[in-house]
Amino acid sequence: MNAGAGKRTSLAVALALIGGLEIAAAAGAASEWLAVCGKCISPTIFAKSGVGTANARAEARITRAEVEDWCANWQPGDGNCVPQQLKSSDLDKVYRASADCPGGRITPIDGKTYQLAGKWDNSDIGGGRSKWRDGSGRIVGRDNASGGLAISQQWEILCPNTAGRGATASPATPPAGGRTAKSAATAGKRLPAADYAVGQVVLARYGRDWVRARITGIRHSNGPAGPQVSYDVSLDNGQRGIVPASMLRAK
């Protein structure tokens, strides 16, 4: 599931929106990460302080272990994956996120500051997770490109006791024509059918184990082989992530 060491969750974040933001993304099975995007290698947290306070902070870094686990999840059997990803990944980079939990403000790994704007409704992925407003006053979308759920994931790490609270979410503005907006990556393409439904209880791959989980959202994206389906999941062990169908089993 997420990228990480062999002992940690293989949940793939960011996350989400997300969320991202994922997300979600080494020293043990319960290790935490900071979501980058739905299919990005997620850095593992190595330092955290002030959780739940006005000065919550976390630092994370990508290591070879995260790269190897990401390749095993997303490109199994590709012998070139690890060297290619190691070459394109900055293993010296430290990803930093901070938050003022009582004030409802977060500065995620992109370095910008966002204000809590309630919670997402259940009309799309990430229902019930935190919604964010950027410095220009615009709501950050929960689609993978916008990264709103990756911010949500980082908020859940820094402010776990307030992650489910906030101002009442404003009703979503219907797109032109009254249709639900779709990702530009899948617009005009026939979307593959989902194998699982929102709310369904399943078993999700977590390291070497299968853990009871619930499907909280379904998302479509444009992968190397065309449109694909992945799932937002919430595990009984408290972890969340975005995974492909191959990482799930019917219960």
Side-chain angles (χ1 to χ4, degrees):
M1 291 162 49
N2 190 316
K7 298 180 187 177
R8 61 169 285 184
T9 174
S10 54
L11 283 172
V13 228
L15 274 341
L17 45 171
I18 290 327
L21 234 131
E22 123 169 224
I23 3 210
S31 295
E32 297 174 311
W33 64 94
L34 297 176
V36 178
C37 74
K39 199 178 177 182
C40 295
I41 299 174
S42 298
T44 297
I45 294 173
F46 64 85
K48 191 168 63 169
S49 63
V51 172
T53 72
N55 192 30
R57 298 181 180 277
E59 295 182 318
R61 184 183 286 115
I62 293 174
T63 69
R64 184 185 180 94
E66 278 80 46
V67 172
E68 291 176 345
D69 198 46
W70 186 93
C71 287
N73 289 334
W74 291 102
Q75 298 182 30
D78 183 351
N80 293 321
C81 180
V82 171
Q84 287 175 346
Q85 293 299 325
L86 285 173
K87 185 177 180 180
S88 61
S89 300
D90 185 356
L91 303 189
D92 294 324
K93 179 177 179 178
V94 175
Y95 295 80
R96 294 182 173 88
S98 61
D100 172 359
C101 301
R105 288 183 296 274
I106 187 172
T107 302
I109 58 176
D110 67 4
K112 302 176 183 178
T113 299
Y114 301 86
Q115 182 68 43
L116 187 64
K119 296 184 291 184
W120 287 109
D121 60 25
N122 293 317
S123 64
D124 205 337
I125 58 173
R129 301 184 73 182
S130 55
K131 180 192 292 186
W132 296 92
R133 194 180 303 277
D134 65 19
S136 299
R138 293 172 296 190
I139 295 296
V140 182
R142 49 180 156 177
D143 57 285
N144 189 50
S146 299
L149 294 185
I151 301 174
S152 299
Q153 187 270 345
Q154 293 174 57
W155 176 255
E156 290 158 8
I157 289 293
L158 295 168
C159 307
N161 294 329
T162 58
R165 302 204 304 265
T168 302
S170 301
T173 302
R179 296 183 303 169
T180 301
K182 296 183 183 295
S183 167
T186 58
K189 298 182 180 181
R190 184 175 181 179
L191 302 178
D195 296 317
Y196 304 96
V198 173
Q200 182 175 350
V201 175
V202 296
L203 295 177
R205 186 72 177 177
Y206 184 87
R208 296 181 179 179
D209 301 320
W210 291 91
V211 178
R212 186 178 182 275
R214 184 179 298 276
I215 305 293
T216 59
I218 300 173
R219 62 175 67 199
H220 294 84
S221 59
N222 193 28
Q228 61 186 21
V229 179
S230 53
Y231 301 86
D232 287 64
V233 294
S234 178
L235 282 72
D236 279 7
N237 61 12
Q239 299 293 330
R240 293 184 179 185
I242 304 166
V243 299
S246 59
M247 306 289 296
L248 300 175
R249 288 180 179 174
K251 192 175 186 303

